[in-house]
């Protein structure tokens, strides 16, 4: 009986080791990928908060990205996102910054999402700078080069507890 179990385990190990490379998935360190995703978001925030390079800011979105922000029509694609950033950077006193709160990455390591808080300052109805805080969820996918790209972004105003 013991010899049968050893033989069975040996066969299972051999079959697994001999599986075609395309069928074996290397172990993904999801905690390391979550930290990498959080750092990617922080770098993106720093670039956006500088307000100088819309093309570089837009490079963080995937070609097929979808952006859903409060009181703004849905934007589709990196080009629409870039145009949105260009127009925002031209607003007097415009500033955006965000901080990721938590990230989660799939076991396969190619998809993830982040819960974030953001702050946007732009001209208010009276023309004076007004700052609004919001909450956001961003969904990310790794591209062919292994870089994280934002594929879905959704934010709405933060509501303070009563």
């Amino acid at each position: 009986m013991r010899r049968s179990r050893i033989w069975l385990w040996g066969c299972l190990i051999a079959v697994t080791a001999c599986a075609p490379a395309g069928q074996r998935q290397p172990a993904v360190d999801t905690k390391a990928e979550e930290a990498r995703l959080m750092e990617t978001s922080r770098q993106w925030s720093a670039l956006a908060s500088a307000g100088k390079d819309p093309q570089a800011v837009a490079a963080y979105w995937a070609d097929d990205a979808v952006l859903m922000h409060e009181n703004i029509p849905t934007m589709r694609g990196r080009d629409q996102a870039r145009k949105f950033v260009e127009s925002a950077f031209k607003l007097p006193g415009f500033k955006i910054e965000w901080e990721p709160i938590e990230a989660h990455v799939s076991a396969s390591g190619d998809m993830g999402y982040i819960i974030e808080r953001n702050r946007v300052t732009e001209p208010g109805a009276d023309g004076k700078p007004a700052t609004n805080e919001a909450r956001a969820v961003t969904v990310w996918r790794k591209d062919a080069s292994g870089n994280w790209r934002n594929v879905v972004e959704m934010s709405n105003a933060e509501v303070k507890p009563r």
Side-chain angles (χ1 to χ4, degrees), residues 44-105:
W44 191 20
S45 176
L47 186 64
S49 128
K52 296 179 181 174
D53 191 348
Q55 190 69 30
V57 171
Y60 280 82
W61 280 294
D63 289 335
D64 59 346
V66 176
L67 289 73
M68 296 177 282
H69 295 204
E70 194 168 17
N71 301 319
I72 299 173
T74 299
M75 293 169 272
R76 294 186 176 275
R78 183 184 291 152
D79 191 51
Q80 277 192 351
R82 181 189 48 75
K83 289 176 184 174
F84 175 70
V85 171
E86 285 174 349
S87 65
F89 282 1
K90 291 176 184 173
L91 292 172
F94 176 82
K95 174 106 171 149
I96 185 168
E97 58 189 348
W98 61 87
E99 178 63 28
I101 297 169
E102 61 186 84
H104 301 274
V105 171

Side-chain angles (χ1 to χ4, degrees), residues 125-141:
D126 60 1
K128 295 179 181 173
T131 300
N132 297 301
E133 294 185 12
R135 55 195 170 189
V137 175
T138 54
V139 179
W140 297 74
R141 173 179 68 217

